[in-house]
Amino acid sequence: MGRGGSRATGAAAPPWHALPDEVWEHAFSFLPTAADRGAAAGACSSWLRAERRSRHHLAVANCYAAAPRDAIERFPAVRAAEVKGKPHFADFGLVPPAWGGAAAPWIAAAADGWPLLEELSFKRMVVTDECLEMIAASFRNFQVLRLVSCDGFSTAGLAAIAAGCRQLRELDLQENEIEDCSIHWLSLFPESFTSLVTLNFSCLDGEVNITVLERLVTRCRNLKTLKLNNAIPLDKLASLLQKAPQLVELGTGKFSADYHPDLFAKLEVAFGGCKSLRKLSGAWDAVPDYLPAFYCVCDGLTSLNLSYATVRGPELIKFISRCKNLQQLWVMDLIEDLGLAVVASSCSKLQELRVFPSDHFGLGVLTERGLVDVSASCPMLESVLYFCRRMTNEALITIAKNRPNFTCFRLCILEPHTPDYITQHPLDAGFSAIVESCKGLRRLSISGLLTDLVFRSIGAHADRLEMLSIAFAGNSDLGLNYILSGCKSLKKLEIRDCPFGDKPLLANAAKLETMRSLWMSSCLLTLGACRQLARKMPHLSVEIMNDPGWSCPLDSLPDESPVEKLYVYRTIAGPRSDTPSYVQIV
Amino acid sequence: MSVETKRSSTESSAASGLDFEDTALTLRLPGAVSEPDRKRASSDADADAEADQSTIAASAASSDAPPAPKARVVGWPPVRSFRKNALADVAGSSKAAAKFVKVAVDGAPYLRKVDLEAYAGYNQLLQALQDKFFSHFTIRKFADDERKLVDAVNGTEYVPTYEDKDGDWMLVGDVPWKMFVETCQRLRLMKSSEAHQEPFNDAYPMLVIMDGLKESRKLCPADVLLHVRHELVQLSSTAFGSLMVLS
């Protein structure tokens, strides 16, 4: 550390800790992650001051961990904020509606304290039309809006964004529940508006005015990402592509029509013009006859999301086998082992694989074989999400040996409690091999028949594990105890339908404060333990849920009452005030 | 599920002080809707897991008997509601009854299945069979048979035959399509070189197959071409003992 930055005039330079804040702010701008910045801020008070005043990007992983006002006071210079709301298991219907996670308080506070805000990203939160109107009205420089798995708004809200955000660069709507008010929100982008770089409305259910869309696409010369919804017919896709050959990322929306050689030719020409296309998604209802139209872009593709394409068979495999530079592949299990074998031999640069379940019980042939093949032949594979029907310890051990570089391993065997289908043993040995071999594992989901032994391995070996998802596993409290007393880096733990009770929870109460959150549903918890936990740990919010609501006050219930759903998270904001009737904070 | 809740004697249960009898209690909050199925499901399953190794197979088999009806568990498998709804829309019409039959191809290491209801006529079926078997080029590095999968490009011709309800092997294409779909039990694509041979020659070698698990079987000459090959492809590598050719 030099003496630079001081106004040296020949006199001794000021000691380094007296350097002006601007110096530190500049230095901190080189720190790559928020964690690094947080660590720096903890060093001393001047660093704390400098760091928080220069923080431009803030990620709030749990919207209830801190009050919006506190966040704004502490970090006054934020230009991009990302906030997440409901617990992860809300994605699977385990959290009843109206639980909370409203974006409104954050937007209201931001409107007040961050007038220069440019980017907002919400995940699993309730965003209303009023929220979107407020965004459009409050931030002169607003550029990026990203909504993932949110609900509560309609096309009316989108209209407000389109009309009001003159500098908008990105409108990214991923898997939201959007009400269709038949408002032509797209036409509300003014004719003078040309700044769009990303437009993703793939989750929108309603009709879209194609002419308006074409005009928008034509005048936004910087458009790089375009993801269409189901309402865009195939021939219109071809003309859109011809107007935007500079696209890097395309979501095709629907990709089916009766086969017509003219249309095929038109599509082929359109795709042929897209020399920069790197990411492809959509292909809902894809008709195999049209897949060859993609062939000319296959070589350049780094990301392919066919997880909504119900196409199967040789056309699918032929197509994927041409994508030699693929880094990310999302498919349905219709690809079968055969297809994954082709992926293994064709896509040597693959880093992420996700295989989703289709509804065809036992008809396809996707087994552990496919995953073993890919793990053997794709040296850069580090992230896997795999739904299948059967697994063996041997396969998992092989996979672990092949790929010690996994950072994310999520295996979901569809039927709970499924053992190794050859030996009928629990899958403890297999998952143990994974955590022992993959030292950098950050995220893990386990499934199948599992005893407490697997938790012993996880607790002992998974030092970098940050998120763990458990379902229908374990024998006793020991299982949970292994996890909570080990797993040094654990941040998020979610458990459902496991025989874990009060004891390990209370014995490891302090651990919970080092974690972001804990979810436990359909386990063996009692109200008494939750009360004890809340008393012991004032910085934890202990929420219990009972569907359909509490018919008598919580205070009157005995300690032995079972708790169906528990959600515990650390917070500096105290108990939240927006709980619905079925949630009680202990 | 009627699996007995066993009194566990393992260390884990002793350490936690919990017996499974305890966990079977279902004290419910007054006025709350009880969900006994799910709780019972998990405690039964726990009993399964606690059982001795020798009984794990039995209990595992009973606790997850595969075919329908599967118990509907809320939020399982963990697939986003958005995805579930989206795919339900897409799949819409394909809920009609399917008729899946096995398809064997001479020389292929495993069978496939096709849904006869998915095709409108013979042409479509044959096109699909062509696609399924002869236009892919899987190259699995550690298997040794699969390179022998013949491409139509090679010129090897196959004759489609099917087994009808009487157990007879018939040539595909003679009867009306609907009748064919009704009576067809399985399909076999026979090498046309064999189809034109005299199958009932006394001089034809007899094949004796020793099945590793069951007793040996001897097949009569007439059945050799049609059935033996068929059974060959179905035996797994562990079951297959040896093959003796007697002349």
Side-chain angles (χ1 to χ4, degrees):
Chain A
M1 188 87 54
R3 293 175 209 73
S6 61
R7 295 163 223 103
T9 53
W16 62 267
H17 57 79
L19 287 169
D21 283 352
E22 292 76 36
V23 175
W24 296 121
E25 289 174 19
H26 183 68
F28 293 148
S29 67
F30 293 102
L31 291 173
T33 68
D36 293 333
R37 292 186 71 113
C44 64
S45 57
S46 57
W47 278 25
L48 173 67
R49 192 177 58 234
E51 196 281 315
R52 42 172 279 258
R53 291 205 318 218
S54 61
R55 182 86 78 99
H56 294 313
H57 179 269
L58 184 66
V60 182
N62 176 4
C63 64
Y64 292 118
R69 305 245 159 247
D70 293 339
I72 289 169
E73 241 181 71
R74 168 136 176 168
F75 301 106
V78 164
R79 306 225 193 95
E82 183 190 325
V83 188
K84 296 186 189 174
K86 301 180 203 172
H88 177 231
F89 275 179
D91 277 349
F92 316 131
L94 288 180
V95 175
W99 175 84
W106 286 90
I107 297 172
D112 222 15
W114 291 331
L116 297 176
L117 192 67
E118 295 170 2
E119 294 185 25
L120 265 180
S121 179
F122 290 113
K123 184 168 182 180
R124 275 193 290 271
M125 293 188 75
V126 176
V127 179
T128 61
D129 286 341
E130 288 75 33
C131 290
L132 296 177
E133 285 158 20
M134 190 179 276
I135 291 175
S138 313
F139 307 111
R140 295 281 128 248
N141 213 20
F142 198 70
Q143 296 171 32
V144 173
L145 179 63
R146 194 172 303 119
L147 301 176
V148 181
S149 295
C150 295
D151 61 280
F153 64 105
S154 74
T155 43
L158 294 180
I161 296 289
C165 299
R166 297 304 158 101
Q167 320 278 352
L168 197 69
R169 280 189 296 118
E170 293 185 29
L171 180 59
D172 191 359
L173 306 169
Q174 299 178 29
E175 301 199 340
N176 303 291
E177 301 280 342
I178 307 176
E179 202 190 310
D180 183 23
C181 288
S182 306
I183 289 184
H184 298 282
W185 59 280
L186 264 184
S187 15
L188 289 173
F189 283 111
E191 284 300 319
S192 56
F193 173 78
T194 59
S195 49
L196 216 51
V197 173
T198 294
L199 179 61
N200 174 7
F201 60 95
S202 52
C203 59
L204 211 62
D205 244 336
E207 291 301 314
V208 153
N209 187 325
I210 310 282
T211 327
V212 168
L213 178 61
E214 278 183 348
R215 281 212 302 270
L216 182 64
V217 165
T218 311
R219 67 180 186 270
C220 294
R221 300 313 318 155
N222 289 325
L223 194 67
K224 295 278 185 297
T225 297
L226 179 63
K227 293 184 169 182
L228 308 168
N229 72 348
N230 260 349
I232 313 287
L234 212 48
D235 59 327
K236 294 299 175 188
L237 171 67
S239 25
L240 279 167
L241 283 178
Q242 271 161 343
K243 294 182 165 47
Q246 77 283 4
L247 282 180
V248 172
E249 186 169 358
L250 173 69
T252 67
K254 219 167 162 64
F255 203 73
S256 83
D258 291 330
Y259 182 77
H260 214 273
D262 287 349
L263 181 51
F264 181 88
K266 199 175 168 200
L267 279 168
E268 231 185 353
V269 167
F271 277 110
C274 295
K275 305 272 182 243
S276 311
L277 203 58
R278 298 284 167 267
K279 302 189 185 187
L280 194 58
S281 59
W284 301 55
D285 246 353
V287 165
D289 295 329
Y290 281 112
L291 283 183
F294 284 129
Y295 282 179
C296 46
V297 298
C298 284
D299 230 8
L301 286 184
T302 57
S303 166
L304 184 58
N305 179 355
L306 295 174
S307 62
Y308 287 99
T310 47
V311 66
R312 58 202 310 172
E315 281 303 334
L316 172 63
I317 297 177
K318 240 190 265 183
F319 173 53
I320 294 181
S321 69
R322 299 171 90 102
C323 301
K324 307 258 181 255
N325 291 306
L326 222 48
Q327 294 169 17
Q328 181 186 67
L329 176 63
W330 294 18
V331 279
M332 300 204 72
D333 59 7
L334 303 168
I335 193 174
E336 302 183 0
D337 287 342
L338 216 59
L340 286 178
V342 172
V343 170
S345 56
S346 313
C347 309
S348 58
K349 303 194 185 155
L350 198 66
Q351 296 172 21
E352 178 183 327
L353 174 69
R354 295 196 193 187
V355 180
F356 294 90
S358 60
D359 250 337
H360 301 79
F361 288 105
L363 302 181
V365 189
L366 181 92
T367 68
E368 76 282 4
R369 186 80 244 159
L371 188 55
V372 171
D373 285 348
V374 177
S375 74
S377 308
C378 300
M380 293 159 62
L381 187 69
E382 55 175 42
S383 174
V384 167
L385 170 64
Y386 201 75
F387 284 83
C388 61
R389 263 161 232 293
R390 65 179 211 194
M391 186 53 61
T392 63
N393 281 309
E394 191 188 330
L396 283 172
I397 291 169
T398 306
I399 291 167
K401 230 190 319 226
N402 288 338
R403 291 275 70 78
N405 50 324
F406 275 148
T407 54
C408 170
F409 188 75
R410 294 190 279 165
L411 180 69
C412 179
I413 302 171
L414 289 167
E415 188 66 27
H417 310 298
T418 305
D420 177 323
Y421 77 94
I422 292 181
T423 64
Q424 298 304 313
H425 290 164
L427 291 171
D428 298 337
F431 280 106
S432 299
I434 294 280
V435 292
E436 282 164 33
S437 167
C438 305
K439 310 253 186 273
L441 198 65
R442 290 200 295 271
R443 186 166 178 183
L444 177 67
S445 297
I446 57 180
S447 56
L449 184 66
L450 294 164
T451 72
D452 288 341
L453 291 176
V454 74
F455 297 114
R456 190 170 71 184
S457 300
I458 297 175
H461 292 107
D463 285 341
R464 302 257 182 89
L465 195 66
E466 295 176 5
M467 184 167 174
L468 178 61
S469 307
I470 307 171
F472 304 101
N475 312 121
S476 74
D477 285 350
L478 263 194
L480 182 56
N481 200 47
Y482 284 134
I483 297 295
L484 290 178
S485 55
C487 293
K488 302 189 190 124
S489 311
L490 198 62
K491 291 206 182 108
K492 275 169 77 168
L493 180 60
E494 44 188 28
I495 302 173
R496 61 164 296 176
D497 294 276
C498 295
F500 300 148
D502 301 334
K503 294 197 170 74
L505 199 63
L506 292 173
N508 295 286
K511 169 80 169 181
L512 296 180
E513 223 178 60
T514 70
M515 288 165 52
R516 196 180 296 158
S517 66
L518 166 70
W519 167 282
M520 286 179 71
S521 60
S522 304
C523 297
L524 303 173
L525 299 173
T526 66
L527 189 50
C530 296
R531 285 173 170 147
Q532 263 187 282
L533 184 65
R535 268 198 303 270
K536 242 173 130 169
M537 312 291 305
H539 291 300
L540 290 181
S541 186
V542 179
E543 293 192 15
I544 53 181
M545 271 176 258
N546 186 37
D547 204 5
W550 305 88
S551 58
C552 54
L554 206 60
D555 295 340
S556 64
L557 292 169
D559 278 348
E560 303 81 49
S561 318
V563 167
E564 181 56 27
K565 288 176 184 162
L566 171 74
Y567 184 50
V568 180
Y569 52 89
R570 66 178 173 197
T571 177
I572 57 172
R576 62 180 174 119
S577 51
D578 60 350
T579 52
S581 62
Y582 59 84
V583 174
Q584 291 276 358
I585 301 182
V586 178
Chain B
M1 274 192 281
S2 54
V3 178
E4 258 181 32
T5 337
K6 289 199 176 180
R7 181 146 203 122
S8 165
S9 55
T10 63
E11 64 160 317
S12 51
S13 177
S16 69
L18 268 181
D19 296 332
F20 286 111
E21 277 80 353
D22 291 350
T23 66
L25 279 177
T26 50
L27 262 182
R28 292 288 157 193
L29 296 169
V33 174
S34 78
E35 292 167 279
D37 294 332
R38 208 162 356 124
K39 267 270 190 272
R40 210 171 297 129
S42 46
S43 41
D44 275 354
D46 308 335
D48 291 346
E50 283 284 357
D52 290 338
Q53 285 293 325
S54 53
T55 56
I56 277 181
S59 40
S62 65
S63 68
D64 41 40
K70 292 194 202 295
R72 291 257 156 223
V73 180
V74 173
W76 191 266
V79 169
R80 278 194 185 165
S81 328
F82 180 87
R83 168 172 291 276
K84 276 204 189 117
N85 297 337
L87 286 168
D89 296 340
V90 165
S93 57
S94 62
K95 302 283 180 200
K99 179 168 182 176
F100 280 83
V101 296
K102 291 182 186 173
V103 185
V105 175
D106 291 354
Y110 50 76
L111 282 72
R112 299 300 300 271
K113 270 198 166 170
V114 291
D115 173 11
L116 293 180
E117 293 288 354
Y119 308 106
Y122 286 115
N123 284 339
Q124 279 194 19
L125 171 64
L126 294 176
Q127 182 64 45
L129 291 177
Q130 174 102 0
D131 284 342
K132 233 177 170 67
F133 287 98
F134 304 117
S135 60
H136 72 74
F137 43 88
T138 315
I139 303 167
R140 285 180 60 168
K141 296 179 192 158
F142 33 85
D144 34 36
D145 293 307
E146 304 199 26
R147 287 168 197 260
K148 295 205 186 113
L149 260 170
V150 179
D151 215 303
V153 170
N154 267 11
T156 318
E157 287 171 49
Y158 291 73
V159 173
T161 62
Y162 72 100
E163 185 180 60
D164 69 3
K165 283 190 173 159
D166 301 319
D168 297 324
W169 286 88
M170 321 283 291
L171 191 66
V172 165
D174 288 337
V175 300
W177 172 252
K178 288 275 179 240
M179 193 186 294
F180 164 74
V181 172
E182 244 270 288
T183 65
C184 174
Q185 300 302 300
R186 61 205 312 178
L187 285 162
R188 180 187 162 205
L189 302 182
M190 189 191 297
K191 282 204 177 121
S192 67
S193 50
E194 282 172 40
H196 296 130
Q197 255 186 6
E198 304 293 314
F200 306 103
N201 193 336
D202 280 340
Y204 213 85
M206 279 212 310
L207 293 165
V208 178
I209 297 172
M210 302 273 284
D211 190 320
L213 293 178
K214 303 168 207 162
E215 73 289 324
S216 73
R217 284 182 287 220
K218 230 176 177 187
L219 293 143
C220 74
D223 296 336
V224 156
L225 277 174
L226 295 170
H227 290 282
V228 169
R229 184 94 52 150
H230 215 68
E231 299 203 357
L232 247 180
V233 302
Q234 285 186 8
L235 291 172
S236 71
S237 55
T238 51
F240 187 67
S242 63
L243 172 71
M244 295 198 314
V245 177
L246 312 169
S247 53

